[in-house]
Amino acid sequence: MNINIEPSPKKVKALDNYLLYIEFENGERKIFDMKKNLKFKFYNKLIDKKNFKNVKISGINIEWKTGEDIAPETLYYESIPLEKFEGDLEELNI
């Protein structure tokens, strides 16, 4: 039996425009766009940018103090590798 286990996030930073910068334990750096998630009631409190910026690592997930989280497989497979992201990432200072 082959079980694929996605790399866990080791660092997360909320960026402007509802983007998340994520570094994974395998060294990959990716951008996750949260805008599509904000249309769901579960993520409604994250429309407030102050809440959105308050993201942290929690085990193999990322989560917010208001109870929202994102599964590691979603983070990993639906994120864009940093080198392929075409948006403005000036605030990352990289």
Side-chain angles (χ1 to χ4, degrees):
M1 180 150 99
N2 184 11
I3 298 176
N4 291 331
I5 299 176
E6 297 74 30
S8 297
K10 70 174 188 175
K11 180 179 180 180
V12 63
K13 180 178 181 182
L15 307 175
D16 288 340
N17 205 17
Y18 300 105
L19 299 175
L20 296 170
Y21 168 76
I22 306 160
E23 289 181 17
F24 291 90
E25 63 187 6
N26 66 355
E28 289 183 76
R29 301 182 308 164
K30 296 186 172 193
I31 300 295
F32 185 81
D33 190 341
M34 278 291 294
K35 287 187 287 297
K36 63 184 179 287
N37 296 58
L38 297 177
K39 65 183 176 185
F40 298 109
K41 188 174 182 178
F42 180 73
Y43 294 107
N44 210 354
K45 293 177 186 171
L46 299 182
I47 292 171
D48 178 334
K49 287 198 175 188
K50 186 176 179 182
N51 273 347
F52 179 72
K53 293 276 187 174
N54 203 7
V55 63
K56 65 178 183 171
I57 303 288
S58 177
I60 61 172
N61 295 342
I62 63 167
E63 70 178 18
W64 287 264
K65 287 185 177 182
T66 48
E68 302 82 3
D69 62 358
I70 302 176
E73 62 273 9
T74 301
L75 280 178
Y76 188 75
Y77 292 114
E78 295 184 18
S79 293
I80 301 167
L82 190 61
E83 60 276 1
K84 293 183 180 179
F85 185 76
E86 296 180 358
D88 180 18
L89 297 175
E90 189 175 308
E91 65 187 302
L92 273 180
N93 298 318
I94 55 173

